[in-house]
């Protein structure tokens, strides 16, 4: 007999977010120039920037705005991709690679510029991101990464052990590097702010409206919804990431929909809070099973990392993060944990975001790789330009075919095996 899902309390973000925008399910069939499927960062950014161009656009979200990864992530706004600038230029050539580096380097700017321009009710801070190095080899990589971004004119610098210890409030890292472009947002408030901005620009948003089928007839797309209503559109942009199900053949098999888990303490006393990330940076480290942590706008300490591939069965599924937090920051030992939550992320085969165009008029965006807040905001801008103008140069990455993971049906087995191996090789905190 299968075990009933563990009853989750609201996430920290759901408990502290700005109110959701007024939306309703689609009850009558409608038309639009462009249909966007998915109400997260990518979908809403696409809708906002299309609507600002005067394009008629409708967004269909299966649940509520930000239900997926956009409302469950750690709220770290980190520019760049998993690959360093030199790697991207080697992969894509000097011209396209350089454009991709500029695109990736500007993703955090896209977020903070939109928050300011639309006066969004979003707690945010832009003090930078620290990548803490846990081994001598990782330290060499981190310091080389800082040097590469410096060559591209970025406010980045390497950190020695004393510097990283003072900035993080823990002595567990050997050094690292600081990227001054990064920052933090309340992620659910931000995605709700994007929704409000899109509505103000003229986009029509419908929640609790799952799309059950997409098909093209006579050059025009039809989306059928669970409630029976349809949307007819010239173009479709699909932005469902790890929550897309089987809406388009093969797409689900092109990613690993891993679970990321997070815990948050109650607000810390001022005396303790001032010893942890005192200058307001966010942090993730160099482990294969990386740890990421920050303070929220009310002084809670958050810790995130990998958890079971399955859905949680009880508080014990977060216990490893609670132990790690106390090892990294013994000054918070005994602090009560106020929130525990998790969400799915889309991991691609090459750890890059992917753009697919499996049929004329259908554009698919998938894969965040831990950079989703900024990456998917900026990707929405690029996709809007491409859809509105037809200029393929607007896209930061080439359009590629959908390719399935090998032995996809065994993914839970090999993901668990990889996680076990990484835990052995990463070393303890």
């Amino acid at each position: 007999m299968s075990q009933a899902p563990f009853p989750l309390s609201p996430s920290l973000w759901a408990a502290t977010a700005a109110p959701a925008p007024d939306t309703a399910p689609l009850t009558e069939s409608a038309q639009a120039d462009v249909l966007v499927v998915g109400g997260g960062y990518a979908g809403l950014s696409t809708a906002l920037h299309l609507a600002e161009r005067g394009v008629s656009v409708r967004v269909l979200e299966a649940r509520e705005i930000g239900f997926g990864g956009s409302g469950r992530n750690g709220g770290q706004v980190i520019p760049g991709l998993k690959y360093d600038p030199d790697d991207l230029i080697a992969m894509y050539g000097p011209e396209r690679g350089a454009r991709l580096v500029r695109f990736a380097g500007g993703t955090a700017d896209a977020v903070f510029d939109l928050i300011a321009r639309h006066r969004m009710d979003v707690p945010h801070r832009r003090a930078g991101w620290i990548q803490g190095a846990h081994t001598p080899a990782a330290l060499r990589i981190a310091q080389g990464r800082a040097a590469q971004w410096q060559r591209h004119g970025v406010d980045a610098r390497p950190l020695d052990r004393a510097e990283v210890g003072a900035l993080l409030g823990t002595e567990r890292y050997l050094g690292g590097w600081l990227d001054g472009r990064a920052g933090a947002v309340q992620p659910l408030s931000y995605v709700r702010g994007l929704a409000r901005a899109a509505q103000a620009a003229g986009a029509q948003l419908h929640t609790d409206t799952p799309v059950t089928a997409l098909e093209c007839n006579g050059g025009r797309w039809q989306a059928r919804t669970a409630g029976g209503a349809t949307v007819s559109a010239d173009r479709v942009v699909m932005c469902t990431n790890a929550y897309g199900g089987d809406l388009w053949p093969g797409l689900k098999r092109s990613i690993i929909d891993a679970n990321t888990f997070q815990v948050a303490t109650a607000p810390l006393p001022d005396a303790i809070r001032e010893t942890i990330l005192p200058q307001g940076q966010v942090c993730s480290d160099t482990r294969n099973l990386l740890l990421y942590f920050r303070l929220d706008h009310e002084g809670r300490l958050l810790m995130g990392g990998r958890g079971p591939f399955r859905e949680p069965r009880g508080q014990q599924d977060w216990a490893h993060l609670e132990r790690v937090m106390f090892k990294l920051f013994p000054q918070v030992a005994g602090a009560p944990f106020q929130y525990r939550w998790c969400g799915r992320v889309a991991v691609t085969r090459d750890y890059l975001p992917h753009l697919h165009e499996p049929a004329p008029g259908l554009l698919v965006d998938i894969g965040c790789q831990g950079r989703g807040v900024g990456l998917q905001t900026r990707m929405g801008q690029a996709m809007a330009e491409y859809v509105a103008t037809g200029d393929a140069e607007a896209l930061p990455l080439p359009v590629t075919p959908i390719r399935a993971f090998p032995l996809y049906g065994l993914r839970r087995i090999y993901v668990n095996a990889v996680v076990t191996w990484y835990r052995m090789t990463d070393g303890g905190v």
Side-chain angles (χ1 to χ4, degrees):
M1 179 181 292
S2 62
Q3 187 170 354
F6 175 66
L8 292 174
S9 60
S11 73
L12 165 62
W13 309 132
T16 62
D22 290 332
T23 58
L26 180 70
T27 57
E28 297 181 354
S29 295
Q31 297 190 12
D33 296 331
V34 179
L35 167 65
V36 174
V37 183
Y41 299 134
L44 292 169
S45 178
T46 302
L48 167 61
H49 291 96
L50 283 171
E52 287 181 333
R53 289 172 172 264
V55 176
S56 167
V57 57
R58 285 184 183 263
V59 178
L60 300 184
E61 162 57 44
R63 301 290 290 271
E64 62 187 47
I65 296 299
F67 170 81
S70 295
R72 300 172 187 240
N73 65 85
Q76 297 194 14
V77 188
I78 304 172
L81 298 170
K82 288 292 187 182
Y83 294 89
D84 296 329
D86 289 357
D87 297 324
L88 294 174
I89 291 171
M91 293 164 67
Y92 292 99
E95 182 178 345
R96 179 145 210 161
R99 284 200 292 116
L100 180 54
V101 170
R102 289 193 296 272
F103 171 91
T107 56
D109 290 337
V111 172
F112 294 108
D113 289 351
L114 284 174
I115 290 173
R117 177 156 63 92
H118 294 282
R119 299 181 180 180
M120 295 181 187
D121 181 12
V122 179
H124 62 283
R125 186 172 184 181
R126 196 173 192 182
W129 165 63
I130 295 169
Q131 186 175 36
H134 73 297
T135 66
L139 178 59
R140 290 190 292 273
I141 292 172
Q143 292 178 336
R145 189 165 288 148
Q148 287 188 42
W149 280 112
Q150 284 176 339
R151 292 198 295 271
H152 288 270
V154 169
D155 174 21
R157 64 183 178 91
L159 301 171
D160 61 24
R161 186 166 196 159
E163 289 174 309
V164 83
L167 289 172
L168 297 183
T170 177
E171 299 179 354
R172 293 283 182 161
Y173 292 104
L174 304 181
W177 73 289
L178 170 64
D179 185 339
R181 300 168 296 178
V185 297
Q186 210 285 14
L188 184 56
S189 288
Y190 172 56
V191 73
R192 288 176 174 178
L194 279 177
R196 284 193 177 83
Q199 287 176 321
Q204 301 293 312
L205 275 55
H206 302 282
T207 49
D208 296 314
T209 306
V211 176
T212 57
L214 283 173
E215 56 186 24
C216 190
N217 295 314
R220 193 162 174 84
W221 284 89
Q222 299 285 333
R224 295 199 303 271
T225 68
T230 64
V231 174
S232 173
D234 295 323
R235 302 289 298 270
V236 176
V237 182
M238 186 173 167
C239 306
T240 53
N241 211 39
Y243 290 83
D246 298 313
L247 183 56
W248 191 260
L251 189 61
K252 182 178 180 179
R253 292 174 171 267
S254 73
I255 61 165
I256 298 295
D257 53 338
N259 232 340
T260 184
F261 282 60
Q262 294 177 72
V263 296
T265 67
L268 299 174
D270 289 345
I272 294 176
R273 184 188 317 180
E274 291 166 0
T275 69
I276 299 170
L277 294 161
Q279 296 186 23
Q281 287 91 2
V282 300
C283 182
S284 57
D285 66 20
T286 51
R287 288 175 172 81
N288 289 300
L289 296 179
L290 66 82
L291 299 170
Y292 53 98
F293 48 90
R294 56 170 284 208
L295 292 169
D296 82 337
H297 58 289
E298 295 179 344
R300 299 175 182 85
L301 180 59
L302 284 69
M303 178 69 64
R306 285 286 176 261
F309 190 90
R310 57 168 171 75
E311 290 303 303
R313 295 173 181 162
Q315 291 186 5
Q316 70 274 8
D317 287 331
W318 286 268
H320 63 295
L321 294 176
E322 296 171 13
R323 289 193 298 269
V324 165
M325 181 184 287
F326 293 152
K327 287 181 179 179
L328 282 176
F329 301 104
Q331 61 267 49
V332 303
F337 287 94
Q338 198 169 26
Y339 299 99
R340 299 173 179 88
W341 73 100
C342 61
R344 296 285 173 182
V345 296
V347 180
T348 60
R349 294 176 65 175
D350 56 8
Y351 299 102
L352 283 167
H354 285 191
L355 294 169
H356 306 300
E357 212 160 21
L362 173 62
L363 181 63
V364 178
D365 166 47
I366 196 164
C368 293
Q369 324 300 106
R371 300 288 193 275
V373 184
L375 171 63
Q376 296 302 338
T377 298
R378 182 68 188 90
M379 192 70 81
Q381 295 174 341
M383 291 191 295
E385 184 176 351
Y386 172 64
V387 169
T389 67
D391 181 7
E393 295 298 304
L395 297 176
L397 292 159
V399 172
T400 58
I402 297 172
R403 293 191 176 96
F405 263 91
L407 303 173
Y408 178 80
L410 302 177
R411 71 193 186 285
R412 294 188 180 221
I413 296 174
Y414 63 69
V415 166
N416 287 334
V418 168
V419 167
T420 300
W421 172 252
Y422 281 161
R423 281 185 178 148
M424 293 171 58
T425 57
D426 276 339
V429 172

